[in-house]
Structure formats: C-alpha cells, structure tokens
Amino acid sequence: MSKTKTGNAFDFNLFKRLLHSTKPYKLTFVYVVFAAIALSIVGLVRPYLLKLIIDDAITAKDYGFLIELLSWTLAALVAEVVFQLSFIYYANWLGQEVIRDIRVQLFKKILNFKKKYFDTSSIGRLVTRAVGDIETIASIFSQGLFMIMSDILKMGAILGFLFYQSWELTLIVLALFPLIIIATRIFQRKMKGAFEIVRNQVANLNSFVQERITGMKIVQIFNREDKEFKDFKQINEEHKKGWIKTVWYNSIYFAFVEMVTSIAIGLLVWYGGMRIIGNEALSIGLVVMFIEYTQQLFRPLRQIADKFNSLQMGMVAANRVFGILDTDSFIKNEGKLIANNVKGQLRFENVVFGYNTNEDVIKGINLKVNAGETIAIVGATGAGKSTIINLLSRFYEINSGRITLDGTDIKDYELASLRKEISVVLQDVFLFADSILNNITLQKKEITREEVMLAAEEIGVAEFIETLPGGFDYNVKERGAMLSSGQRQLIAFLRAYVNKPSILVLDEATSSIDSYSEQLIQNATDKITKGRTSIVIAHRLATIKNADKIVVMDAGKIVELGTHDELLKNVNGNYKNLYEAQFKDKELAN
C-alpha cells in the first residue's frame, strides 16, 4: 500500500508524485502557472483604476481623463476574462489528461493482479477506486492546486501594493488576518478527517450495492428484501452523516469568514472616514480602493479553504489509488521460453500449496499426464480438484515442488504464452454483455467469423445459436443473462475450442445443466478433447467412464489412480463408494 501519512492535513510526498504525473504535459503545466501569475497581476489593476477615477477624474471633473481610465478598466477586465477562461480550461484539461493516464495504469495493474488479490478484495471498492476516486483526483488540478496558487499570488500582490499605498490601513486589514488563518487551519484538519469518512462510506456503499445487485436472485429467493433494504438504509445513513459533517464545518467556517470580512470593511470605513473628516492625507478613492482590495484579499482566503477541500479530497483519493498501484501482487513472469508446438505432457512433482500460510490445500501431489491423454479428477468438495487447475495456469504460485509442461518447469515459460496453451471451461461460465461472436473470440482478430461458424458446426452447437435472434450477433446481456446455463456452457466450449489449446480443462462443466444440454456438451467434449491433453474435473462420475485415468483426491492428496474399471475393483475404495452412492441416488430418483 501507499506509504503516505494520511493523518496529515497535507502530504507533500504524495503531492510530488501527482506533480510527476504532469511531466508529459509540461508546456500546458507551464502555461497554467503563467496564467495564474498573470491573473494575480491583472487583478491588481481594476481597484487602483477605480481610485484614480474617483480622486483624479470625478473629483477633478476631468471628463477626458475619466474616459481614458474607463478604457483602461475595460482593457483590464477583458485581459482578466481571457486569462481566467484559458486558466480554467487548461487546468481542467491537464487534470483530465493526468487522470486518464492514471486510470490506464490502474486498470493495467488490476488486469495483472494475482487471483488471490481478488479473493480478498471487494469488487465494489475496486470499482470506486478506478472510477470515483480517480475522477476526484482531477479536482486537484481543476479546483485545487492551480486555483490555490493563483489565489496566493493574488493575495501576496495585493498585500504588497496595499503597504505601498497606506501602511496604516493595511495594518487594520492584517489585524484580523490571524483569526482567519487559525480558523482556516482548524477547518482544514477537520475536513481532512471528514473526507476520509466520506470516501470510506462511498466505498462501502458501492460495495454493498454491487454485491446485492449481482446476487439479487439469492436475495429474492430467500426473502431478504426487507433485511437488505434495512442494511442499505443504515449504510446510506452513515454516508449521509459523513457528508453532513463536511457541510457543518463549511457552514461554520464561511459564516465566520464573512463576519470577519465585514468587520474589516467596517473598520476601514470608520478609520478612513475619520481621517478624511479630519482633513488628513487620505482620499475617498483610497478608502474605496482598500475596501475593494480587502474583499479581493479575504475572498481568495475564503476560497482557498474551499479549494483546499477539493485538494484534500483529491489527495485522499490519490492515496487510495496509489495504494493499489503500489500493491505488489503479481505472478512473477520471469520465464523466457515461448510455449510453441506444445505436446501437452504434464507432471506434478511433490506439489504443495495453500491459500493461507499455515494451511495446505494440496499436500505433496505427484501426477503424470501423458500428451493427448484424458484424465479425470474426482473427489469430495474441498478435496483440492479445482486448485490443481489454478496452479497449472499459474493463477497461484505453489509453495514447493514443481509443475512441468513437456519436461520444462512452467515458471520458465512466458506467462501469456503458457496460458494461451491452456483453455478452461468452468462450471460458472462468465459472459460479457456483448454478442455471442465476441464472447467466443474475445475480440481476437486472428479468430475469424468463418472459423467460429465452422467450429460451431464441428462440435454441434451451431443449431442452437442460429435459432437466436441475430444468431452469432445476439447480445447475451450482462453475465449472459439471456441464455440458459446449458447454453452458456456450450458457448464456453466453443470459446475453448476456437482457441486451439494444447491442454483443455473442464471444471465441473456438466454439473448443473439439463439432460438435453448435457448430451450436447458430452458430444462437444468428445470432439474437443480428441487429440489433446484434457483434464476433466467431474461430479457426475457417469461422464468420465472413458477417461484414460481417473485421479481420486481426498483432503489435498491423491488417494487412488486408475481406470474406471480398475477403480471399481477396489472394494473399499473411495471411487467405488462415490460411484455406488451416485448410482443409488439415481435409482431413488427414478
């Protein structure tokens, strides 16, 4: 995670890292800084011209000079508008460019995380980081950094000019400055904590909503609507309280600053008026100018606090995003060999693995799979069947031992080339909200539409696809909701087939489908496993009778190995007991 100290009101290390992200846009950055400086200078002109208009034109009744001063005032106003417009536009442009780059980095990072990272991370929180938090980072540039810089420059220029004009009136203005500075400091620290709460609650809300919408079927099946609604209201209430806290701090702070500003103006009018009445060296134009400058001085200070809020929210968001970017959760891809012309011979040698440090799931497995051979893996739930597949594809790293492909340690293969040789059909098929064709090819340009259609004919799934509106162009919607589980499985089989893998893995691919779909899938299985190394994890033992080998697992170990007929001869064997239990269940069902 990021090493920033989020308890501080402002983190300069994190800020420097964000500034480094602007490096590709150096010219724009420089122009925005220039525009900020120009605004601070131009902002000085108009109140001073107003003083000249009152003291040297109106009082002297000099019409020509009045027109000249008004012309200069208009020119200053136009210049200020031009610089303000370009400043706001390019500051926002810079922010959007930076967050685009960070979002690309973040998504690329997420794409390459270990599977274990997703096992322990909330999807809703990741979505919040990739969308909401990154968008908040843009406010650092559009409403925070440069705006604050411009305001500070303007305030410095105003104070210097005011001292030059009248140190006495300037001291009156500055006398109230410590109150605002103290209030601003307190306000910043309070808002920092409030924004931390807000971002946490946003992540909680996103995570809760995402999970409930995804699992809506379970919610409705088990009549959880009222309970989930009650929980949602509670989380939403906490989210509201977080925002109300920020509103409360804003209300107090801005009311206090308005009051102090009014007091400062009142003191200027009182002191300046008394000096003018006493015929001392003060003019009405000077007092009016000071009033204008005081408002310009206090307004940025008031706005700086508001903009600092945006800056802090952006910093909080940046800290969370960089926390993910700094996460080292990758499968090491140090292999140099490209897996070409793979035969498919596999060997597991004393493989030990555990998802948690102190709990092994796979306990010293030794297994050889010959090229082109079909093996089946069976066993009770939690025996470690699916874990073997995760290790073969290097979704997880083994603790000890090694796995070889054609005699070479799989760690020596380049990761993408290794996974390209392995196609997996899972029990829970995931389809994207896209056409059937794109779900099959995953938009790989090397797989043509004609190849897909031919493959569909070969494994016997073309008929059902052609009955759908639009055929291969039919949009299956999110997670394939428009298809039955059997149809989704057939799409997954076709997806695996067109990728022409050297090794095929079927993980419980027929465990939850109807008999008609099962027959289609069985035919497809026979077709796509022919001539290639295949690993079939099965719950229905009737579907694996013809496997070359059947591996029986229990508690992370291989307890039996042989053909269907050989294993049935083992009177007290695990496989025989499993088979007879299923056979009896089938008889009772009939």
Side-chain angles (χ1 to χ4, degrees), residues 276-308:
I276 293 170
I277 291 170
N279 293 317
E280 297 186 36
L282 274 180
S283 67
I284 295 174
L286 184 67
V287 174
V288 171
M289 183 190 75
F290 260 82
I291 291 172
E292 284 289 312
Y293 277 133
T294 300
Q295 290 178 326
Q296 285 195 21
L297 190 64
F298 280 64
R299 189 184 306 120
L301 187 61
R302 188 169 66 241
Q303 291 174 345
I304 280 176
D306 194 28
K307 289 162 188 173
F308 204 88

Side-chain angles (χ1 to χ4, degrees), residues 44-65:
L44 287 174
V45 175
R46 286 189 295 109
Y48 180 68
L49 289 173
L50 180 61
K51 171 188 178 297
L52 295 179
I53 288 171
I54 294 172
D55 290 342
D56 299 342
I58 295 176
T59 304
K61 299 181 180 180
D62 188 338
Y63 181 76
F65 192 39

Side-chain angles (χ1 to χ4, degrees), residues 386-430:
S386 296
T387 300
I388 287 181
I389 309 309
N390 287 329
L391 299 180
L392 177 61
S393 299
R394 291 198 69 198
F395 292 130
Y396 298 89
E397 294 282 30
I398 60 177
N399 296 348
S400 62
R402 73 174 192 152
I403 303 172
T404 65
L405 172 59
D406 290 353
T408 301
D409 195 314
I410 59 173
K411 292 181 180 179
D412 294 332
Y413 288 108
E414 195 277 327
L415 190 58
S417 73
L418 171 68
R419 290 178 178 172
K420 186 178 179 181
E421 296 298 321
I422 304 170
S423 281
V424 181
V425 179
L426 300 170
Q427 176 185 355
D428 183 19
V429 177
F430 186 93

